[in-house]
Amino acid sequence: MIKGTFSRTEGRHIDFGMEQGTVSFPPTGSGWFGLYMLTGGACVLRFAAADGTAFNYQLEPGTVMCLDDSYAVTITEAEPDAAWKAVYFQPTFINRNMKQEVMLSDDYRRMADRHGLFRLEPFLSRRMQDHAFTLSLQEQSLFAQYFTTIGAQLTGEDDWYWSCRVRSYFMDMLSALDEIRKQRAAWEPDADFTLFSTMTALIRERMETPM
């Protein structure tokens, strides 16, 4: 199953897709986002931006990664046992008002912050450390269950509400991702505070040194 508009019921389609084993990356400017979990084998990815800049990033097994369509991404190195689980979506699948230009606007940020809405920050951030999270074994098990449950809804028995169930389980998945992101942020020391602490310690050391 590859990314693209997926339809199971006559007259009902969703901008959502899923892959397991191998993986694809959203073409630049396509409007598609991807949520990935590397389940086995380390990989090195190459990220190329439209301005010509590029960088490599290594992922270890048990990592979940969030990408929008800003970079052209290729796998440059992969261990033989490398395996992925991935879902692809357009933000309007979550809410028809979640267009990319809207989510990046100051008005939407203020509204989302005021109401505690998830703004898809791990997908839209321009800092690579915001895109990838190493999961604990318990978190890996949780996300594997989400992939299994969503896959079952995409391929299971037809009825009019299958797309609603896919959206519901996917929203649960994003909520879990947001909680993990917040936990990781709480664990990381504030850069400004760390710099301030280092400077004050150095000043104190100099003051205590005999002239």
Side-chain angles (χ1 to χ4, degrees):
M1 195 178 304
I2 60 173
K3 60 183 176 296
T5 299
F6 183 72
S7 179
R8 272 182 47 205
T9 306
E10 185 68 27
R12 174 67 61 92
H13 67 270
I14 57 175
D15 292 326
F16 191 90
M18 185 174 178
E19 279 183 315
Q20 297 194 61
T22 57
V23 74
S24 305
F25 298 101
T28 54
S30 65
W32 284 88
F33 288 23
L35 173 58
Y36 307 83
M37 187 168 75
L38 183 60
T39 58
C43 290
V44 176
L45 306 183
R46 180 75 170 172
F47 292 80
D51 61 4
T53 59
F55 61 90
N56 293 338
Y57 194 84
Q58 181 167 331
L59 295 179
E60 299 296 331
T63 299
V64 65
M65 181 177 64
C66 311
L67 295 178
D68 65 359
D69 60 351
S70 298
Y71 295 100
V73 184
T74 54
I75 300 174
T76 59
E77 299 178 39
E79 293 182 345
D81 59 341
W84 300 79
K85 296 180 184 292
V87 293
Y88 310 99
F89 66 99
Q90 293 209 17
T92 49
F93 168 66
I94 301 171
N95 185 304
R96 63 183 179 182
N97 295 316
M98 291 184 72
K99 298 177 181 178
Q100 199 160 346
E101 62 272 17
V102 173
M103 290 189 293
L104 293 172
S105 69
D106 291 337
D107 287 343
Y108 184 84
R109 286 194 183 98
R110 284 191 291 268
M111 184 270 292
D113 289 342
R114 184 165 58 248
H115 296 286
L117 302 179
F118 182 36
R119 293 192 286 113
L120 299 181
E121 293 97 328
F123 299 89
L124 297 170
S125 173
R126 291 297 165 260
R127 301 192 315 157
M128 193 58 211
Q129 59 265 40
D130 294 335
H131 288 276
F133 310 90
T134 301
L135 302 179
S136 67
L137 291 177
Q138 184 177 2
E139 291 165 346
Q140 290 178 47
S141 177
L142 174 64
F143 272 77
Q145 290 176 22
Y146 282 129
F147 279 108
T148 299
T149 302
I150 291 171
Q153 298 305 319
L154 289 172
T155 58
E157 183 178 351
D158 273 334
D159 61 55
W160 191 247
Y161 301 103
W162 67 270
S163 61
C164 299
R165 293 194 297 272
V166 171
R167 182 180 291 106
S168 176
Y169 289 126
F170 183 54
M171 289 297 297
D172 289 344
M173 193 181 200
L174 291 179
S175 296
L177 175 68
D178 193 36
E179 286 301 313
I180 292 171
R181 180 186 67 85
K182 290 176 180 176
Q183 291 174 9
R184 299 297 190 272
W187 294 342
E188 292 176 357
D190 181 80
D192 292 336
F193 178 77
T194 302
L195 177 61
F196 176 76
S197 300
T198 303
M199 291 175 63
T200 53
L202 183 61
I203 292 170
R204 187 179 301 111
E205 179 183 342
R206 290 290 186 269
M207 291 179 65
E208 292 174 354
T209 301
M211 299 296 291

